[in-house]
Structures are given as C-alpha cells and as structure tokens.
Amino acid sequence: MRRNRDGSWDLWQVQPSARIRYDHLWELAYGQHALSEAGFEVRHAGIIYVNGTHCRREYGEDGPESLFFQEDCMDRTVELLDRLPSLAGEFHRLLNSDREPRTEPGPQCRTMEPCPFERRCRPDRPEHWVGDFYRMSQARRQELLRAGYNDIREIPDGEKLTPLQSRIRKALRTGQPFLAQEFAERLNRLGSPLHYLDFETFSPAIPPYPGTRPFELIPFQWSLHTETAGGNLEHRYFLADGGADPRPEFARSLLSALPSPGSILTYTNYESQVLRSLKTGQPGLAEALEETAGRCVDLCALVRKHLYHPSFGQGFSLKRILPALAPELTYGTLDVRDGLEASRTFLALTMEPDKERRCNLRKSLLDYCERDTLALVMIKRYVLKKSPARTPQ
C-alpha cells in the first residue's frame, strides 16, 4: 500500500507469476473492498508480476533490470467489486458457522489444484471412481455420474470410451494387466546399444545467469544408462556445481557421452524439447543437439498405447507405474524423490557455502537422477519378459 499526498491510497499486489490470472483479480478486488469498508479511498489498484517476456539478465550485471511489470487493474475489477459485498457477507457467515457448508462436490473442487478435502466430502467414493477416469472431459464424467455410474468397472460396454479408456476399464474389471505384443516388437526394433536418458531442470523467477530470462528452463543434470546387446549397463552422469551457467557444459558433456548410433529412451518428450531449446544458446552444437533430439523415443507414449496394469490407477507417471512393474526399485529411500524437489535441491546447492553440505546435496541429486534412468531400464525389461510370444503364421 502507498499513501498519496491527497490522503488516498494505491494498492499493489505482488504475484510470483509471469501473467495476470483471473484469481489474481479476485484477490485484488477483495483487497479494494476491504480497504473501502475500512474507510480508505483507493485511487489505484494493480498487480505487480514478473516480466517474463521482455526481461533478460544482461552480461556484466549484478542483477536483472525490469524484473517486474506493474499494471493498473482498476477497470478489470469493477464488475467483481459489484459482487463482493454479498460474497463477503456469505464468507463471513460460513466462517462463523459451526457447520460445514452443504455444497455438492463438483468441478469447482479441481479448479487450479485438486482440493485435499475432496475424499472427505465423498467418503463413499470407490477406489476406481468415474470422476478420476483418465483423460476424460469433466463434462463427460459428470454425465456418467448423473447416470448412476460411480465405479469405472460399472460403466456398460455400450458407453462411448476411447480405446485407452476401454483397456483401463477391462483391466480393472478382470484385475489382469494389458500388454500388447507390439510393445516388445517396437522395443526390439530399437536395436543396440540402447540409451536411457533423463534430465533435471530448474526455472527460477530471478534470472540466475547472464542471458537468461525469468522462469526460463535451465537444465543442470543428466543421467545416462547405456545397455549393450548382452544386457550390460554403463552409467554416466553430469551435475553442474551451480557457480556458472550449466548449459554449455551440460550440452558438451552429454554429446560427448552419447555415441552416434543407438536410440535414446526417455520418459515423455521432455528431454527432446530441452535439447532443442539448447540450440539457441549453443549455435556451434545446434546440429548435433537436433540430431540427438531426433533419436529420442518417448517411452511414456509407448506405455500408454501398449501397457496398462490395474495398479497404475488413473495415471502413467513414472512414479505411478514403477511400483507395479519393478517394486524392488523404490524412490522411498531417496532424499530427493521428484523433479520439483530436485529443482529446489539444486537451487539450495548453488547457495550452500558448507563443503560437506554441498557434497550431501550433490549425492542426493545424483542418486535421484540415476534412479530415473534405471527405472526406464526396468520398464523395458519388464515388457520383454512379460510379453506374450508371437504365434508363428
């Protein structure tokens, strides 16, 4: 808040975002309403957010200029302010009530992020709830729920489903995994050597290195398992120290570790996207980076098309499918257990002065990234082991 000479006030709300969202406007409008109710005159109200489009940290700077952009939003909160007196009164009544609001769970429970109380509001929700059905529109889910189908297994065969949704329903009904013969054939065609690759990245709001923008994706770590025709594995890795821009050494070390022959298995197409993004800052390596990106094969897409285990539930993330396919390979014993935690750990590494603590952070990151590529190896071996033999024609 900033007081003006005439006694009025300006209200500015800071958001850690590169754009103004609708919920930001509601928050700003509520602030205006609260100040007005307290007798303050609001002359300007706006949002300060990260200027991710035009801000770039220049070389030789201690910090980026124009990191924030401010926008007056008085004209965008007018209609919201008209609705706030009644809404605020309703909020106060709910907060002062001894009873929970009687609101039927619905799409509003998953706006922005799933509500942590959703299952509490639906204690009778089955394990395989239709409301969770994989890649089904919210409108279609509501249609099935209104028709009385709560459990995915109850959905009749006549209801329209995608081929993947039909496979999920069948596997949940029978309790048996689905594995297409084509999956093993597709993996066998990849040949040898076969590489398994995973990246870790971070995207801080404040550009950490010269030439970077707010929220720009910066890869800092890779893990690579290479499997020979005999099944032997060789592991290589790279992890930046955080002192300088890791992208040049990241790219050079990876290209040096990856011989030209052999397909590269990744989980999703994230790695190929990162490789192509590196071409802008590494013009001398652009051709090699593009060639490497072209060798990447999305294992997640193959799993979705050819494999489903009832334990997958309604998702195909690596952390979700691995317990069903390789329960001996767990993330539970690691200090870092997901990509977001890896990003935070690397950011902590860049600011950690203690040598022993830095060693511990590096080990945690190395263990996690290696586990990801080893997980890809185990998925491939599961498919080859469990795949039904092709009947000779």
Side-chain angles (χ1 to χ4, degrees), residues 115-176:
C115 175
F117 297 100
E118 186 177 15
R119 183 168 287 279
R120 183 171 181 266
C121 296
R122 285 187 181 270
D124 57 341
R125 192 177 80 178
E127 179 183 0
H128 305 299
W129 187 46
V130 168
D132 291 331
F133 211 165
Y134 184 71
R135 289 195 172 179
M136 178 174 281
S137 70
Q138 188 62 43
R140 180 65 176 133
R141 289 170 179 161
Q142 291 302 313
E143 286 179 10
L144 292 171
L145 288 170
R146 283 194 294 267
Y149 306 122
N150 287 313
D151 195 305
I152 292 173
R153 295 169 294 184
E154 298 172 350
I155 301 175
D157 294 339
E159 292 288 345
K160 186 177 181 180
L161 300 176
T162 66
L164 174 55
Q165 290 165 355
S166 296
R167 288 198 296 271
I168 292 175
R169 179 184 58 185
K170 181 179 179 180
L172 294 179
R173 282 176 175 176
T174 63
Q176 298 299 315

Side-chain angles (χ1 to χ4, degrees), residues 18 50-57 64 66-67 203-207 212-217:
V50 179
N51 184 4
T53 304
H54 301 102
C55 175
R56 180 185 291 273
R57 181 167 182 170
S66 306
L67 177 60
S203 51
I206 300 177
T212 58
R213 298 183 184 277
F215 300 118
E216 184 172 351
L217 201 63

Side-chain angles (χ1 to χ4, degrees), residues 26-173:
W26 270 111
E27 292 178 27
L28 182 65
Y30 193 85
Q32 292 176 252
H33 172 76
L35 288 175
S36 297
E37 289 292 297
F40 293 93
E41 178 190 354
V42 180
R43 187 178 66 179
H44 294 291
I47 295 175
I48 300 173
Y49 58 98
V50 179
N51 184 4
T53 304
H54 301 102
C55 175
R56 180 185 291 273
R57 181 167 182 170
E58 301 297 334
Y59 290 86
E61 278 188 347
D62 291 331
E65 295 181 359
S66 306
L67 177 60
F68 295 105
F69 185 84
Q70 64 182 44
E71 182 175 335
D72 194 305
C73 299
M74 290 283 282
D75 59 331
R76 301 174 65 179
T77 58
V78 173
E79 294 184 3
L80 306 183
L81 283 168
D82 292 340
R83 299 168 57 187
L84 267 169
S86 62
L87 286 174
E90 183 180 349
F91 293 159
H92 292 152
R93 285 193 299 272
L94 289 174
L95 290 171
N96 292 324
S97 174
D98 295 331
R99 299 181 180 180
E100 299 173 355
R102 299 186 63 180
T103 302
E104 184 67 20
Q108 75 277 4
C109 302
R110 301 196 172 199
T111 302
M112 302 300 292
E113 295 181 3
C115 175
F117 297 100
E118 186 177 15
R119 183 168 287 279
R120 183 171 181 266
C121 296
R122 285 187 181 270
D124 57 341
R125 192 177 80 178
E127 179 183 0
H128 305 299
W129 187 46
V130 168
D132 291 331
F133 211 165
Y134 184 71
R135 289 195 172 179
M136 178 174 281
S137 70
Q138 188 62 43
R140 180 65 176 133
R141 289 170 179 161
Q142 291 302 313
E143 286 179 10
L144 292 171
L145 288 170
R146 283 194 294 267
Y149 306 122
N150 287 313
D151 195 305
I152 292 173
R153 295 169 294 184
E154 298 172 350
I155 301 175
D157 294 339
E159 292 288 345
K160 186 177 181 180
L161 300 176
T162 66
L164 174 55
Q165 290 165 355
S166 296
R167 288 198 296 271
I168 292 175
R169 179 184 58 185
K170 181 179 179 180
L172 294 179
R173 282 176 175 176

Side-chain angles (χ1 to χ4, degrees), residues 318-334:
L318 194 58
K319 309 301 185 296
R320 182 181 289 271
I321 73 169
L322 193 62
L325 307 184
E328 71 280 5
L329 197 65
T330 177
Y331 286 83
T333 58
L334 302 180

Side-chain angles (χ1 to χ4, degrees), residues 207-314:
Y209 309 112
T212 58
R213 298 183 184 277
F215 300 118
E216 184 172 351
L217 201 63
I218 301 173
F220 61 84
Q221 180 180 12
W222 56 258
S223 172
L224 176 70
H225 273 94
T226 298
E227 185 178 28
T228 64
N232 295 321
L233 287 175
E234 179 183 4
H235 182 238
R236 297 174 184 172
Y237 60 88
F238 167 82
L239 174 58
D241 60 14
D245 188 345
R247 292 174 297 178
E249 184 60 26
F250 178 98
R252 287 193 295 266
S253 62
L254 179 62
L255 294 175
S256 175
L258 268 171
S260 55
S263 297
I264 304 168
L265 274 180
T266 61
Y267 207 75
T268 76
N269 61 354
Y270 184 71
E271 278 70 22
S272 59
Q273 292 176 355
V274 172
L275 286 167
R276 291 189 169 100
S277 72
L278 287 171
K279 295 192 300 181
T280 302
Q282 313 291 323
L285 302 176
E287 184 177 348
L289 289 168
E290 178 62 36
E291 187 271 338
T292 303
R295 293 162 55 194
C296 291
V297 177
D298 183 356
L299 182 59
C300 181
L302 293 175
V303 169
R304 277 198 302 266
K305 186 175 182 180
H306 300 299
L307 174 63
Y308 180 79
H309 192 287
S311 298
F312 290 180
Q314 302 304 309

